Amino acid sequence: MEKKGKNIIKHIEPGSIAEEMGVLPGDFLIKINQQLIEDRLDYEFLSADDFLEVELEKSDGTQWVLEIEKEVDEELGIIFTNEEADKTKQCHNKCIFCFIDQMPPGMRESLYVKDDDARLSFLQGNYITLTNLTEKNIDKIIRYRISPLNISVHTTDPERRIQMLNNRFAGNVSSLLDKFHNNHISMNLQIVLCPGWNDGEVLDQTLQDFKKIIHSVVSIAIVPVGKTKFRDGLPETGSVTKEIAKKTLNQISQWQNVYREMTGEKKVYASDELYLNASEDLPEASFYDSFSQLENGVGMMALFKKNFSDYLKKMPLIRKKEPIKICVATGTLAAEYINKITKELERKVLGLKIEVFPIENNFFGKTITVSGLITGRDLIEQLKNQSLGNHLVIPENMLRESENIFLDDITTDDVSTELGVAVMACPIDGIAFIRKILRISALNPKIRSVEKNGKTHCCSSRSSQCRKINLF
């Protein structure tokens, strides 16, 4: 058997089952429970059982068969030599709305990587178009009951989807959705709304087509297309104007009634950006059922406000001995909303002044209004002559995950030096926001008295999936 890099063991976690069983770096994993390990998905699913028969080839060429009893989902503690290599399937579409194709040249290489991999749909929550699935891939999804799948549909009209994705294999999406439905695979669906392509009657037909699979649909998100100034070579698509946003929200409301009658849930939801574009009030948190598409900015601001308001009610009135000013920078879309709720915190913490700065996106173009695409350079240029006090709070989705680097490779330290102010990144959660403000102002850092009435409900566990959405 050919020893593929992805099956060669690189590291064994100390104290793990694998270490106890004598597995060593350099060993080669062949099978688990008689099933060949072809990729990470095989390993993740097959190793989750409570009884495993693991076939290995040791580095000296001897064959081992290990029988392992463990708790369900208890990990073996194996890390492979080249996880990259469990080669991520690249996207072969040329979508008219693809944000990666709307980025300027010269940025870091990782920003231009486009994946379209069913394994990452399950493991990391990524959205896939289904255009590069083989029959073997489909069979594996069904065999392992990979649910929920996160699928970018955009439209069920075969010809229009082929045109929107620029892929001749894109027209069979309905048959694939039917197959997953018939095999009890649950799905989150996504529609990027591109005026002139998949709005209006085309959107109605797509939502009509979803009726036959609706009991397998966890949620449907409708999000407006984002258009940068670097669209050279891409087909024209209209922008989501206030009028289009209002019309689409009305359509969505009608389909929510249809789906609720069928399933007891609304199923289809607009992103927060659509409400803000339409200048309409955002729904309350109770509107969103299970918040299945926070990563698409669906209900994120409602959840932010709920957590913020619930936490604020538990706080005592605080009087600051000396006034303190804290500044917040965010995208132009949500700035007014964030400014409004910060006034509530000011009324609870006397002597606290919070100033919210909307940052226009000069880098990608002013049509991009979300916070997650603001660059360090735009922050510096627009805030350098402002009175910022001692601290500037930014949403952490402005930064590369687990790093203090903006999209343009400027660091938070660079911004801090240029502006002469400490830059503090905050998770996109109402509770975390209050805590960050209170810690900065040195008001009871542990905040234990605030939580005396019970547990809080924070969505920060989802923060890694919410990094690029349009909030705060």
Side-chain angles (χ1 to χ4, degrees):
M1 181 178 181
E2 180 188 355
K3 293 188 177 181
K4 298 179 182 178
K6 62 191 176 189
N7 285 26
I8 297 175
I9 296 168
K10 176 183 180 181
H11 176 71
I12 301 297
E13 295 288 353
S16 65
I17 294 172
E19 181 183 62
E20 182 182 338
M21 299 298 291
V23 181
L24 297 172
D27 292 349
F28 175 61
L29 179 62
I30 301 172
K31 294 181 182 179
I32 295 179
N33 291 345
Q34 308 299 316
Q35 300 292 315
L36 280 172
I37 303 300
E38 296 180 332
D39 56 33
R40 182 181 167 195
L41 198 60
D42 288 328
Y43 173 74
E44 294 284 348
F45 272 85
L46 294 172
S47 66
D49 288 345
D50 56 357
F51 178 82
L52 306 179
E53 184 180 272
V54 178
E55 295 184 40
L56 296 169
E57 181 177 317
K58 303 293 285 181
S59 56
D60 63 4
T62 58
Q63 303 280 324
W64 281 21
V65 177
L66 306 176
E67 293 184 348
I68 299 172
E69 289 188 32
K70 64 180 188 64
E71 298 295 324
V72 173
D73 293 335
E74 184 181 2
E75 295 191 6
L76 295 180
I78 291 174
I79 297 174
F80 296 102
T81 302
N82 191 4
E83 298 240 336
E84 158 199 9
D86 197 1
K87 268 286 195 199
T88 298
K89 287 192 174 183
Q90 298 299 303
C91 180
H92 299 303
N93 307 313
K94 189 76 172 175
C95 299
I96 62 171
F97 49 81
C98 179
F99 196 85
I100 294 174
D101 289 339
Q102 298 182 70
M103 289 201 300
M107 301 181 73
R108 62 177 174 268
E109 205 171 304
S110 61
L111 293 175
Y112 301 100
V113 175
K114 297 193 286 185
D115 68 76
D116 195 10
D117 196 317
R119 296 166 298 178
L120 298 184
S121 179
F122 175 75
L123 294 169
Q124 298 179 15
N126 296 12
Y127 279 77
I128 57 174
T129 64
L130 309 180
T131 55
N132 63 5
L133 288 184
T134 64
E135 285 301 319
K136 187 176 182 179
N137 298 147
I138 294 169
D139 291 343
K140 186 176 286 190
I141 289 169
I142 293 170
R143 182 169 76 250
Y144 288 150
R145 294 279 187 261
I146 297 176
S147 288
L149 275 182
N150 300 308
I151 303 171
S152 291
V153 177
H154 311 308
T155 178
T156 53
D157 181 306
E159 290 305 315
R160 195 158 297 228
R161 192 169 193 261
I162 288 170
Q163 293 171 350
M164 289 185 72
L165 274 60
N166 271 301
N167 188 323
R168 62 191 177 92
F169 300 108
N172 67 339
V173 66
S174 289
S175 63
L176 288 172
L177 296 178
D178 289 346
K179 187 164 189 173
F180 292 139
H181 167 69
N182 293 335
N183 285 278
H184 312 293
I185 303 298
S186 61
M187 297 167 275
N188 287 307
L189 308 179
Q190 176 194 61
I191 295 171
V192 175
L193 192 72
C194 299
W197 289 86
N198 63 345
D199 59 334
E201 292 181 4
V202 179
L203 176 60
D204 276 331
Q205 185 59 56
T206 297
L207 296 175
Q208 172 70 31
D209 291 342
F210 287 162
K211 284 175 65 176
K212 59 185 176 181
I213 64 166
I214 198 63
H215 291 285
S216 296
V217 173
V218 179
S219 65
I220 306 159
I222 299 180
V223 303
V225 62
K227 297 169 62 179
T228 81
K229 63 185 181 183
F230 303 103
R231 281 189 60 86
D232 294 346
L234 291 177
E236 184 53 44
T237 176
S239 299
V240 179
T241 62
K242 182 176 181 178
E243 181 182 356
I244 291 173
K246 282 182 173 292
K247 178 182 176 182
T248 304
L249 288 174
N250 183 57
Q251 281 180 274
I252 292 170
S253 177
Q254 293 178 40
W255 281 103
Q256 285 171 338
N257 293 333
V258 171
Y259 293 148
R260 185 164 44 197
E261 185 70 24
M262 295 175 68
T263 68
E265 293 184 341
K266 303 177 190 72
K267 295 293 184 182
V268 58
Y269 306 90
S271 72
D272 297 352
E273 195 174 349
L274 268 177
Y275 287 98
L276 295 173
N277 282 348
S279 299
E280 293 195 8
D281 291 338
L282 288 156
E284 297 296 320
S286 57
F287 178 84
Y288 289 97
D289 298 321
S290 58
F291 287 100
S292 298
Q293 297 226 32
L294 286 172
E295 67 276 14
N296 263 324
V298 176
M300 194 66 170
M301 295 184 81
L303 188 57
F304 185 101
K305 182 180 180 183
K306 179 183 186 302
N307 288 342
F308 182 95
S309 298
D310 288 351
Y311 200 74
L312 201 64
K313 289 174 185 175
K314 299 172 184 177
M315 286 176 52
L317 184 67
I318 300 171
R319 296 180 186 275
K320 187 69 178 150
K321 289 182 180 180
E322 296 182 4
I324 183 168
K325 177 181 178 180
I326 296 172
C327 294
V328 176
T330 187
T332 56
L333 188 70
E336 184 178 346
Y337 184 86
I338 297 300
N339 185 58
K340 182 178 179 180
I341 66 170
T342 57
K343 299 307 174 191
E344 298 177 28
L345 183 55
E346 289 179 352
R347 289 191 287 271
K348 201 76 168 185
V349 183
L350 304 182
L352 172 65
K353 170 65 177 175
I354 302 173
E355 187 169 1
V356 178
F357 288 95
I359 305 298
E360 289 192 340
N361 202 318
N362 295 323
F363 185 86
F364 286 109
K366 293 180 181 179
T367 56
I368 301 298
T369 58
V370 300
S371 64
L373 296 171
I374 290 171
T375 61
R377 179 53 52 195
D378 277 342
L379 272 179
I380 292 169
E381 290 178 351
Q382 294 176 47
L383 297 179
K384 62 185 175 183
N385 295 320
Q386 299 292 339
S387 174
L388 301 176
N390 295 319
H391 292 89
L392 175 67
V393 177
I394 62 171
E396 66 178 14
N397 69 344
M398 286 187 188
L399 305 174
R400 187 176 180 180
E401 188 171 356
S402 304
E403 297 186 46
N404 291 327
I405 302 174
F406 293 87
L407 282 171
D408 55 355
D409 288 335
I410 287 176
T411 69
T412 52
D413 288 342
D414 296 332
V415 175
S416 181
T417 299
E418 291 282 343
L419 298 178
V421 65
V423 178
M424 316 285 284
C426 181
I428 304 170
D429 172 74
I431 297 170
F433 182 71
I434 292 176
R435 287 176 168 174
K436 181 70 71 174
I437 296 295
L438 293 184
R439 287 193 181 105
I440 289 172
S441 58
L443 297 173
N444 194 6
K446 293 186 179 179
I447 329 175
R448 296 189 184 279
S449 63
V450 178
E451 297 180 332
K452 63 185 178 183
N453 293 326
K455 295 181 179 179
T456 58
H457 300 278
C458 177
C459 71
S460 59
S461 62
R462 294 289 300 274
S463 63
S464 63
Q465 295 182 12
C466 300
R467 298 193 59 78
K468 296 181 182 178
I469 59 176
N470 52 347
L471 306 171
F472 182 169

